[in-house]
Every structure is written in structure tokens, then in C-alpha cells.
Amino acid sequence: MAFVNENFLKLPGSYLFSEIARRVSAYKGEHPDADIIRLGIGDVTRPLPPACIEAMHRAVDEEASSATFRGYGPEQGYDVLIEAILQHDYAARGICLRPSEVFVSDGAKSDTGNIGDILGQANTVGVTDPVYPVYIDSNVMAGRSGDLTDGKWSRITYLPCTAANGFVPALPEQRVDIIYLCYPNNPTGTTLTRTELKKWVDYAKANDSLILYDAAYEAYISEEDVPHSIYEIEGARQVAIEFRSFSKTAGFTGVRCGYTVVPEEVTVRTASGERVPLNPLWNRRQCTKFNGTSYITQRGAEAVYSPKGQRQVQETIAYYMENARILREGLRSVGFQVYGGVNAPYIWLQTPQGLTSWQFFDELLHRMHIVGTPGVGFGPSGEGYFRLTAFGQRENTLRAMERIAGWK
Ligand code: PLP
């Protein structure tokens, strides 16, 4: 007889996006002519930078000839891409990493979800709240979560991030073994300064904890005092793994490419107290369960770092951040309390008149024909908040704010 991993049975259905779809389709059913603007999605709308397209075309042609054809590649990624990553994302910021510390992958979702494979089941886990759901669900699957009561898992420590604390999580009162940090943050669009991030690195060092640092939105940072990488903080090489993605940087949400940095100094303990480095374990995990990101994709990602690619990526990011400005200012002009949208493509607003996240969702849908994402869907501390994204088309963003101007 085969037995199920019962942890999967604990997972509630993916309620958030199915409930949004249900409410929108019910409204559409009753109002078929409603012109609904969707500002809820986390996907990009701009096409890939031409430099990436050209590089991928060239790579496709290489696959057409037996002299240049590539089959299985290195599971860790091709050297050319790893070298470009080391030089542009790290050395340029004074961070020295070794090629063997970078693992190219098919994106940050897989890596943030899979990293738990090399970590023991008994680890206690801390997350900021609201949170990117993958961190929680992957720990539920691994049996680290305990049970779900009132929207919280009993063995997960939730660190509230709300307007009351300026969206800066307090250090946990009870020690945690693993802490997930995501900056710039999805969903709140907020960031940590260097000083604030240093507190976490110091905490991890003092408590022998591991930081899983998701920097998928790093490319959107515009302010000086916001670190682009956790390795800008002294000591982070001993305690942090960093995840990056080409999805939001360069429109790779459909093409799929990201990478994870596991410094050789990061170690965790065995039950008997022996220190074990994680780098070889992640390498082993990837070599066993992952056969590499496609050559064509990696050539496309490498082109992000070419001078042309960098210019084109900056243009796209500027486009989304102009959307973010339009959203921020449009919402503020009618009295909304708005956060984020400066170093991230997400706008996090406080729902007005004490409405719950879902009540506000309905109001916005029914009165303005705009769809966003209820904050409570990202965790208990998201209640009373709402997420809009700057990834939409400019025209739709402007039309949405014209409608919002009539909000009372
Ligand atoms: N991490 C965060 C915080 C995200 O918001 C997302 C996507 O929305 C991802 C990771 C996934 O990135 P990728 O497309 O590289 O899998």
C-alpha cells in the first residue's frame, strides 16, 4: 500500500486567487458590460528586452548545428551566466562571491520552495506577516508547520509588519531556527534599511539561525540606504542564503530563470552538534532533482547584463515605477493611506473606513470596476490592507486612477 504525505492534506485550498476569480466572475455575470481593470496580478505585462530576445535567437541557432548543439548543461548553470551574475550583481557592489556559490535555476519560487529539502524537519520557522505564501506552504508540506488555527500555523512564528511598526518586523521573542525575509517586500512593497537588516544578521549570528533572503524585487530599489543584497551586511556570508529572479527584473516570468547564492561559510548543525556546510548539500540536491535551466534561457539571462540589456531593463523598470507613482499619487489624492511603490512595484494601501480587506475588494470591484488583492490573503496582519500592482499597462493604470478620483 502506498501512503500519502499527510502534510499535504493539512493545506487549505488556494483560497485567495480562486475566491477573487469567483467574485469577479459572479459580478461579471450580473454586469456583463462592466469594463474591469485588473491591478491584482503579480505578473508583468511588458515584453522581454530585445537584447534577451536576440541572445535567445542566437542560442536557438546554436542548437540547430551539431558543432554548437548543447544537450544537458551543468546543473548549477553555465559559467558565462554565473560570471555575469558575480560581476554585475555582486562585485559591482563590493561583494566577492565564488562561482561555486551561485546556482542558476528556473526561478525563485522553485528555490524558495525547495530549499527546505536540505533543512531538518524539527527547525522552527519565522516569517514576516503578511508573507509570500510559498514560504509557509512549503514548510507545511515538509511537516514543520504544526496545525492551522485562526489563520495561523501553530509552529510558525509570525512577525507582524503593519503601519504601526512602519512595516519593520520586530526580532522574534522566541528563538527561531530559520527566518524568511523578503526585501523589497511582496506584498507590502516596503524595504529594510542597512541598519535594520544588520539587526537580522546579528540576530542570526547570535542565535545560530539561518536567514533565507528573497531579493526577487532587488532591481526596483531606488533609494540609497536600501541594501540590494544581504551580503552587503557584514557577517551575512555565515548566516544567509539569497534568492534572486529574472522574472520581475527582465520579464522572465514565462521564460523562467533565477538563481540562489549559498555561501560556503553557511553551516547548520546535525542533531549531535556537528557543523555541516549547506553549499555541498544544495549542490547535491540540485544535481539529483534538477537538470539545469535551458541553455537558451541562460543566454537570454546573460544578455540582461549586456550594456544594451541593462538599458532596456532600466526602461522597463522605469515604466512600471511610473505606474507605481501614478497609483500612489492617485490614491493619496483621494485620501488613501498608501505604502510601498518606491522601491518595489507593489502598492499596499490601508482600507478606508475600517473596511476589511474583502469588504474593500467588493467596494472597489462594484463601484470602480477595479480588481486588486485583499491583504488578508497574505496573512493575518494583512487584514485591513489591500495590494495593487504596478505591473499593468500604463493606459489601464491611468484609467483606474481616473475612476479612483471619484472615490468618496
Ligand atoms: N519571490 C517573491 C517574493 C515573489 O513575489 C515571486 C513572484 O511573484 C517569486 C519569488 C517567484 O519568482 P520566480 O518567477 O523567479 O519563480
Side-chain angles (χ1 to χ4, degrees), residues 107-109 132 135 182 186 214 216-217 245 247-248 256:
K109 187 184 212 175
Y132 177 55
Y135 313 152
C182 170
N186 176 17
D214 186 346
Y217 297 94
S245 171
S247 286
K248 309 299 162 69
R256 310 302 306 143

Side-chain angles (χ1 to χ4, degrees), residues 37 39 45-46 315-327 389-402:
I37 301 177
L39 296 178
T45 51
R46 305 293 292 164
E315 276 165 24
T316 301
I317 289 173
Y319 176 95
Y320 293 134
M321 291 314 279
E322 174 62 8
N323 283 352
R325 187 193 64 76
I326 291 165
L327 291 172
T389 90
F391 286 131
Q393 313 230 333
R394 175 65 45 77
E395 191 199 331
N396 284 342
T397 306
L398 286 167
R399 286 196 310 127
M401 289 304 99
E402 277 164 23

